[in-house]
Amino acid sequence: LRAGVEWRYSALDDDFGDREFFQLVFPIGATWDGRDDPVNARNGFYGDVDLMPFAGFGGTKSGARLTFDGRAYREVGESTVLAGRFQLGALAGADIDEVPAEMLFFSGGGGAVRGQPFQSLGVERDGDNTGGRVMATVSRWCSSTSVSGRRFDAAVSFDRRVCRAARPGSPDRRG
């Protein structure tokens, strides 16, 4: 379990113009790790949930950010592991131009959608790529460490992530 209080100030010059944000943040979270090995899991489950309510000051909006990350691992035979990951995230109370970029959801890179450049997938708004208010990720993979008695490492993966904007009809980016 974890909890805290933070004061955040952000000054940004981005696609939305010059902006300043003043936030009092109350991060709360919990992690449950039931994997047999946190570095090279072969069996077990992992779950992490974070809730970050924030109060805005000086014209900054208030709201909350919620994220969930769940993973499962299952050894099949002596050398093969099937694994899956499910992530959800949502931002409530503010639109994408009313919070700092680090509170939005982007995608791309090894932690989200492998094979895509880091944070290259988001929401297209007025021709610019920005983060979204909602995201969901599903990843599945299989890895094997030996074939016919010889050392061989291989992994097959499938990733899918969707980031959505606040307004219905806004384009979204999928990876």
Side-chain angles (χ1 to χ4, degrees), residues 13-61:
D13 181 13
D14 58 14
D15 297 331
F16 297 114
D18 288 331
R19 305 177 297 148
E20 287 186 314
F21 299 97
F22 303 91
Q23 296 172 315
L24 186 58
V25 182
F26 305 94
I28 304 162
T31 301
W32 180 71
D33 194 344
R35 298 174 290 183
D36 58 346
D37 182 345
V39 177
N40 188 24
R42 301 192 67 73
N43 284 297
F45 298 93
Y46 172 89
D48 185 73
V49 64
D50 285 300
L51 174 63
M52 189 183 344
F54 55 92
F57 296 91
T60 300
K61 298 285 185 179

